[in-house]
Amino acid sequence: MADNSKGVEHATSWYSSFYNSIKQTPINVTLIIISTIVFYKVASLSRRLGRHRKDQDQAKAPGPIDFCEDDGQEKADVDLPPLRQDFTVPELREYDGTRADGRILVAVNFNIYDVSRSVHYYGRNGVNPNYAGRDISRHLINLPVNLNASEDFDYLSDLSNSQMNTLREWEQQYKEKYPFVGKLKEDEADLELEPAVPLVDYI
């Protein structure tokens, strides 16, 4: 009991001394009030800034497959029916955005994707209108290629393993971002030019 009495007396004496110090020195009350107000203001401001930064980060955050070509620009609102078809190089060239439906196709690693919604990039007034209706595989891996002169099927047979891996990474991004249309196929003229591989009968 004696210990409990001492504890109560100690707590009472601490409150009493604190109250007496405030009562005897009015400036302490003023400082406490000002400190409380400043702390509240700083806390409120920090919360507001935190919410503002979070909103900005969410607005700037790229989508899961958003890569350099979109660069924050708005996509065109294109509502075209799905297209499933294989194309030769000359047939692909027709889908450069100049058709009545405005459809734009590109080929990446022998696969064709509908990029019509990214008209700001592939359209006639876009960043790279020369890509529309083309096989852009070599350009994606930074190899020199004259797209305007490219009329033949590109077998990509001269690419190194490293270059092919880079091209596959690009293709994965297109696959996830754009609708798949079909395959880029060889036409009869290309098949005549491509040397036949001799068949070897192993015994």
Side-chain angles (χ1 to χ4, degrees):
M1 287 293 294
D3 291 339
N4 289 340
S5 299
K6 287 180 181 179
V8 172
E9 288 176 7
H10 178 71
T12 305
S13 64
W14 183 85
Y15 286 124
S16 298
S17 61
F18 180 71
Y19 175 75
N20 290 332
S21 64
I22 291 175
K23 186 177 178 181
Q24 292 170 1
T25 317
I27 193 162
N28 289 345
V29 177
T30 306
L31 289 174
I32 290 173
I33 294 171
I34 292 173
S35 299
T36 304
I37 293 172
V38 169
F39 177 78
Y40 175 77
K41 292 285 187 183
V42 169
S44 299
L45 183 60
S46 298
R47 280 197 298 270
R48 279 201 299 269
L49 286 174
R51 283 196 298 268
H52 182 65
R53 285 199 193 99
K54 185 177 179 181
D55 292 341
Q56 282 185 331
D57 291 341
Q58 288 177 348
K60 291 179 181 178
I65 313 299
D66 198 9
F67 44 100
C68 62
E69 68 180 58
D70 285 328
D71 198 24
Q73 300 184 47
E74 292 183 4
K75 298 184 178 86
D77 185 14
V78 177
D79 187 17
L80 295 172
L83 176 66
R84 289 305 296 266
Q85 181 182 336
D86 295 340
F87 290 88
T88 62
V89 173
E91 290 169 344
L92 179 65
R93 288 287 305 276
E94 297 177 14
Y95 288 84
D96 59 357
T98 58
R99 293 164 47 94
D101 60 3
R103 193 184 297 270
I104 304 173
L105 305 179
V106 297
V108 180
N109 196 21
F110 310 116
N111 289 321
I112 298 171
Y113 298 95
D114 189 335
V115 297
S116 304
R117 62 178 177 161
S118 292
V119 67
H120 65 273
Y121 190 80
Y122 299 102
R124 281 176 289 180
N125 298 320
V127 178
N128 272 307
N130 289 337
Y131 292 178
R134 310 273 184 174
D135 179 359
I136 60 172
S137 302
R138 288 185 181 270
H139 178 81
L140 293 176
I141 55 177
N142 297 320
L143 290 179
V145 57
N146 185 351
L147 290 172
N148 291 325
S150 179
E151 296 288 346
D152 298 329
F153 184 86
D154 189 349
Y155 295 91
L156 305 175
S157 54
D158 60 323
L159 299 186
S160 67
N161 287 336
S162 174
Q163 290 168 332
M164 281 304 301
N165 288 336
T166 301
L167 183 56
R168 289 188 192 102
E169 290 174 5
W170 273 106
E171 182 190 2
Q172 184 62 30
Q173 294 184 61
Y174 274 83
K175 185 183 297 184
E176 296 179 7
K177 187 181 180 86
Y178 298 112
F180 172 77
V181 173
K183 293 284 187 180
L184 185 64
K185 63 181 183 179
E186 306 156 290
D187 57 22
E188 293 180 3
D190 291 324
L191 290 172
E192 291 174 3
L193 292 172
E194 181 69 5
V197 178
L199 296 175
V200 178
D201 190 11
Y202 293 97
I203 299 174

